[in-house]
Amino acid sequence: MAIDIAERIGAVVISVDSMQVYRGMDIGTAKPTLIERRGIPHHMIDLVDPSEEFSVANFRRIGRETMEGIEGPKMIVGGSGLHFRALVDPMSFAPTDPQLRTELEKTDTAELVTELVEADPAAVHHVDLANRRRVIRAVEIYRLTGETPSSRANSAEAAELRRYQSEIQFTAIGVDPGELLEPRIDQRLEEMRHGGLFEEVARLRGRLGRTAASAVGYRELLAHFDGETSEGEAFRAVAVNTRRLARRQRTWFQRDPRIRWVPWVDDQTDRVNRALEALEV
């Protein structure tokens, strides 16, 4: 649908899919093939090897530079809400330190939670203390900068983000298939399975860094290759986790008052025409 719209208005596509930045992760991320792109330039795809870590800060920097270098219409397309906001909204990122991160990852979660709460008793209101990854990041930021979750949440930048104040002007539309979402997820997963997802993960196994290995579709099959699950169990887990991800994405974007929602219709041409009307082009 996005490619149809881009073709109609003469736009290039800027992907905001957090996993399509990785080369070789094609089937599992539903990356459009060269044929599917129909000659329309696609940016922010195939940027790094899957063994590399590619932060949202890197995505913002390269994405902004890319957009500044393109004249004419640009379509930002994809479902990674944080990456979308990183491109268009005021968003700075605290530093990171690989050596410190390695140290924190070896530390017991309860110990890290204690350190964070002692520094910031209100941290529980800003960080999911049951989410080890988020706790590690909050402690890392605190140790590197002295900033606590509360101080960051009360900053001027955070206030602008909560008000959805953009740095880059845009018109956004969303299309939600509603009750058809889960059947469409099941259909897409079946297409991925027959299209070689199992073989793709097997080929990339050993080359996937921490972030790439956490992608839905990859982490479940990696668990199978490690002998933790059967192939059938792995694909059932992919289906369950894809639905959960879709629900989180839906919630994220529905909070954004800047998005105009286009009613779902089955006919692709009709959907495109409705989207163009909403975009007022």
Side-chain angles (χ1 to χ4, degrees):
M1 180 177 172
I3 292 172
D4 282 349
I5 294 172
E7 200 168 46
R8 292 270 292 271
I9 66 176
V12 302
V13 170
I14 311 290
S15 167
V16 285
D17 187 298
S18 63
M19 294 298 166
Q20 288 186 357
V21 300
Y22 292 111
R23 292 187 286 268
M25 293 175 63
D26 302 329
I27 299 170
T29 66
K31 192 181 296 177
T33 66
L34 290 176
I35 292 174
E36 290 170 336
R37 297 176 203 178
R38 302 180 210 160
I40 295 169
H42 280 59
H43 301 273
M44 304 305 290
I45 286 178
D46 293 332
L47 299 181
V48 295
D49 190 83
S51 62
E52 299 178 47
E53 293 300 310
F54 194 75
S55 67
V56 183
N58 287 336
F59 188 95
R60 173 184 168 90
R61 176 178 56 80
I62 295 174
R64 284 287 184 95
E65 291 172 355
T66 299
M67 291 175 66
E68 288 171 2
I70 297 172
E71 294 184 4
K74 296 173 277 289
M75 284 190 61
I76 300 174
V77 179
S80 298
L82 179 61
H83 291 67
F84 165 65
R85 297 205 67 185
L87 278 190
V88 301
D89 290 339
M91 192 176 289
S92 59
F93 297 89
T96 187
D97 182 285
Q99 186 173 350
L100 175 58
R101 176 63 68 89
T102 300
E103 175 190 332
L104 295 175
E105 287 175 347
K106 294 177 181 177
T107 305
D108 182 73
T109 303
E111 197 176 319
L112 296 173
V113 169
T114 298
E115 178 181 347
L116 191 61
V117 172
E118 286 180 351
D120 180 9
V124 65
H125 300 299
H126 308 293
V127 178
D128 179 0
L129 299 183
N131 186 319
R132 176 173 169 80
R133 181 175 60 84
R134 294 188 184 279
V135 170
I136 287 174
R137 179 57 176 152
V139 173
E140 180 186 30
I141 293 171
Y142 172 64
R143 289 196 190 178
L144 290 174
T145 68
E147 292 183 310
T148 65
S150 293
S151 66
R152 290 176 60 80
N154 293 321
S155 68
E157 179 183 289
E160 288 185 352
L161 285 171
R162 286 192 291 270
R163 291 195 300 268
Y164 290 92
Q165 297 295 312
S166 310
E167 282 186 332
I168 294 176
Q169 295 304 307
F170 63 89
T171 301
I173 61 167
V175 183
D176 189 338
E179 294 179 356
L180 294 174
L181 179 61
E182 290 198 4
R184 287 175 62 83
I185 288 173
D186 291 339
Q187 178 185 349
R188 190 178 81 157
L189 178 55
E190 194 63 22
E191 291 170 354
M192 288 178 174
R193 188 170 187 172
H194 289 294
L197 176 58
F198 186 90
E199 293 76 13
E200 178 174 276
V201 179
R203 185 174 64 253
L204 292 172
R205 187 185 180 201
R207 290 180 49 209
L208 297 172
R210 179 174 57 87
T211 301
S214 70
V216 174
Y218 294 84
R219 68 171 181 263
E220 296 85 359
L221 286 173
L222 289 172
H224 163 66
F225 291 128
D226 289 341
E228 298 173 17
T229 62
S230 68
E231 182 180 338
E233 289 171 335
F235 274 101
R236 284 192 289 275
V238 174
V240 169
N241 291 330
T242 301
R243 293 188 193 104
R244 287 173 178 165
L245 175 61
R247 286 194 291 269
R248 290 197 300 272
Q249 290 174 326
R250 173 186 274 167
T251 299
W252 177 287
F253 285 109
Q254 285 180 341
R255 289 192 188 116
D256 194 329
R258 300 168 295 186
I259 297 176
R260 304 174 184 177
W261 291 94
V262 177
W264 175 267
V265 289
D266 290 332
D267 183 75
Q268 170 89 344
T269 301
D270 195 2
R271 282 203 309 275
V272 170
N273 288 335
R274 288 172 182 239
L276 289 168
E277 287 176 13
L279 289 170
E280 299 177 351
V281 294

